[in-house]
Amino acid sequence: QVQLVESGGGSVQPGGSLRLSCTASGSIALIYSMGWYRQAPGKQRELVAGITSGGSTNYSDSAKGRFTISRDNAKNTVYLQMNSLKPEDTAVYYCNADIQALFSKHRLNYWGQGTQVTVSS
């Protein structure tokens, strides 16, 4: 089985920073793209940032210039460094990855359980 486990969420004041981590574990052959999504109350889940296995990145307009996504392929881990946080960044943040399991010919899409980020004074 493959699973994604996030950590690093919490409460922070506006202007503060948080670093989210997500580690994939299980019978993994290859990890393709990884990314972070978020869902605020009453809103649809949206992409925050993504990163390919080769390190190419993309960001939502709201994340550009403030958030940085990175990954450590040796640790099967993706990170999201969030700076200059705003109250509107408050949401549950989910890790997402396309993973090919051992002995499988196909890649599947996996989600983490989510971690709460709250930005408030």
Side-chain angles (χ1 to χ4, degrees):
Q1 289 185 342
V2 174
Q3 60 178 344
L4 301 177
V5 178
E6 300 116 332
S7 62
S11 295
V12 64
Q13 291 186 339
S17 297
L18 284 174
R19 189 193 195 206
L20 306 182
S21 300
C22 170
T23 299
S25 63
S27 301
I28 296 170
L30 290 171
I31 301 178
Y32 296 91
S33 61
M34 304 184 82
W36 289 95
Y37 288 72
R38 69 186 182 187
Q39 188 166 18
K43 294 188 177 182
Q44 289 187 333
R45 192 172 298 189
E46 62 176 3
L47 174 68
V48 177
I51 185 167
T52 67
S53 57
S56 296
T57 60
N58 64 287
Y59 297 91
S60 66
D61 287 343
S62 62
K64 285 178 184 176
R66 299 187 300 126
F67 296 179
T68 302
I69 189 170
S70 61
R71 64 190 282 174
D72 184 334
N73 291 330
K75 296 181 179 179
N76 291 342
T77 299
V78 63
Y79 305 96
L80 185 67
Q81 177 67 44
M82 303 186 293
N83 299 327
S84 302
L85 283 161
K86 305 174 182 180
E88 51 263 43
D89 294 318
T90 296
V92 177
Y93 283 70
Y94 296 91
C95 177
N96 180 268
D98 286 333
I99 297 174
Q100 181 176 344
L102 287 173
F103 312 117
S104 172
K105 297 181 181 179
H106 308 288
R107 68 177 79 176
L108 297 176
N109 188 254
Y110 294 86
W111 290 93
Q113 80 286 356
T115 185
Q116 177 70 45
V117 171
T118 302
V119 185
S120 174
S121 55

